[in-house]
Structure formats: structure tokens, C-alpha cells
Amino acid sequence: DKSKVPNEPVTPPDGFNWDEFDIDDDKQLEELREFLEDHYVEDNIGNFRLKYSNEKLRWGLAIPGFLKELQFLVRDAKKGKIMACLFGIPRTFMICG
């Protein structure tokens, strides 16, 4: 129910901040790439690790229909380090015709 979705951003827990992500900012893209490689793409025993290029990340995150306001990071409030990333892309689905 759309009426139950808050219009204002939820306040993150103490020690964390929301941060806008700009897909066109090479510095932010590089920081995201390093974060993903360090935390999200390794198998359970460390034998397999994916390497992303900035171009591949930009290609994957800037697909047709993406909205910059749905791409953001969670950062450590003191050090500014990325702690999480969230990306949304609006989609329209047709179910049963």
C-alpha cells in the first residue's frame, strides 16, 4: 500500500549516514568498486573473486530507466567509509495480461 510508504528518508542508526551516489563521479565509482571487491564478490572459502571495472559498474548501474535519487550509500559517520550500498531501478510488470 503506497500510503504506508514514508515520504521522508528513514534516519539511519547512530554512527551511520546516508550519502547520495553520483554514477558520473569517477572517485565515488572507484570507491564503490573497491568496496564491492572487498566485501561482496568472494566465495565462501576465498578461492574465487570477481573484479569489476568502473566501466562495467557504470554500465550495470546506469541502465535505461535508472534514477539517481534511488542510488545511495550508507557511510560510517566518523570515517566516511562505505558500509553499504543500495540501488533501485523502477520497473513496470504486467501480470496475467
Side-chain angles (χ1 to χ4, degrees):
D1 182 358
K2 261 186 169 177
S3 67
K4 295 180 181 178
V5 177
N7 289 328
E8 298 299 317
V10 175
T11 303
D14 287 340
F16 298 94
N17 291 327
W18 296 121
D19 189 20
E20 292 180 5
F21 177 74
D22 182 358
I23 192 82
D24 297 318
D25 182 337
D26 289 335
K27 184 178 175 186
Q28 279 192 349
L29 197 62
E30 179 68 19
E31 187 181 13
L32 176 66
R33 185 194 59 74
E34 290 174 4
F35 172 72
L36 292 172
E37 286 181 2
D38 289 345
H39 299 287
Y40 282 96
V41 292
E42 187 173 304
D43 68 354
N44 291 338
I45 55 176
N47 289 333
F48 178 75
R49 182 179 286 260
L50 294 176
K51 296 287 185 183
Y52 294 109
S53 66
N54 287 1
E55 294 78 21
K56 186 172 183 175
L57 278 176
R58 188 171 279 128
W59 172 82
L61 295 173
I63 66 171
F66 90 101
L67 299 173
K68 283 188 176 187
E69 59 266 24
L70 296 180
Q71 298 183 337
F72 53 97
L73 306 170
V74 177
R75 293 187 181 269
D76 177 286
K78 291 182 181 174
K79 296 180 181 179
K81 214 173 142 179
I82 295 176
M83 304 303 287
C85 54
L86 299 110
F87 301 97
I89 299 171
R91 291 287 174 242
T92 302
F93 293 93
M94 184 181 304
I95 301 172
C96 298

